[in-house]
Amino acid sequence: MKAEYVNSFYQATNDVLALMLDITTERGMPRLLEDMVSSKDASVILGIIGDVKGTVLFSFPKDMTLEMVKIMSGMEMDEIDSFVSSAIGEVANIIGGNAITMLSANNYHCDIATPQVIVGEYKSLSLGNEKALLLPLKTPIGEFSIALFLKEK
């Protein structure tokens, strides 16, 4: 997978979380996924179309998800409900939009599809037969991951 893809999504994530939540991200060691993806409590699937196509999967644990929404809204939440789902979907949407803008600076013309939010832990998810890159990220409010299933058209 090209460094431009990974770096665009990492930088966009770092920028958006710094701006919206005033938190920093620390990049873990990326690893190749050749099969199924394990979940966290809340996941957002973001489709990418254009010169680069595929899927980006953001996976967050429940505590981090609730803390993100608390920081953004000022409201204490106990469960991942429709409000929380909508909020994390929008965070992923903004990250995706920023990443696409960064990719366009490298002459990749892409767009994102409407984010799909999955709530609840599942054992595994297959997003196609392609290999993916799993990028673990650590923040002061929790650890999450981004799985990139991307390739050039």
Side-chain angles (χ1 to χ4, degrees), residues 61-104:
K62 180 180 180 181
D63 291 344
M64 181 179 182
T65 303
L66 297 175
E67 187 63 23
M68 288 169 60
V69 174
K70 178 181 173 185
I71 293 168
M72 289 187 296
S73 70
M75 298 186 321
E76 190 81 37
M77 307 298 288
D78 296 331
E79 292 186 37
I80 301 174
D81 59 11
S82 60
F83 178 80
V84 173
S85 296
S86 177
I88 64 165
E90 189 55 33
V91 169
N93 196 41
I94 294 167
I95 291 169
N98 287 3
I100 294 303
T101 300
M102 290 177 194
L103 284 169
S104 71

Side-chain angles (χ1 to χ4, degrees), residues 22-91:
D22 195 26
I23 62 173
T24 57
T25 59
E26 182 182 322
R27 193 171 171 165
M29 181 63 72
R31 73 176 202 265
L32 190 63
L33 295 173
E34 296 191 53
D35 196 12
M36 305 290 261
V37 180
S38 295
S39 81
K40 302 266 192 224
D41 299 304
S43 298
V44 183
I45 299 171
L46 194 60
I48 310 297
I49 56 174
D51 293 343
V52 176
K53 66 179 189 170
T55 306
V56 178
L57 175 70
F58 299 87
S59 294
F60 303 97
K62 180 180 180 181
D63 291 344
M64 181 179 182
T65 303
L66 297 175
E67 187 63 23
M68 288 169 60
V69 174
K70 178 181 173 185
I71 293 168
M72 289 187 296
S73 70
M75 298 186 321
E76 190 81 37
M77 307 298 288
D78 296 331
E79 292 186 37
I80 301 174
D81 59 11
S82 60
F83 178 80
V84 173
S85 296
S86 177
I88 64 165
E90 189 55 33
V91 169

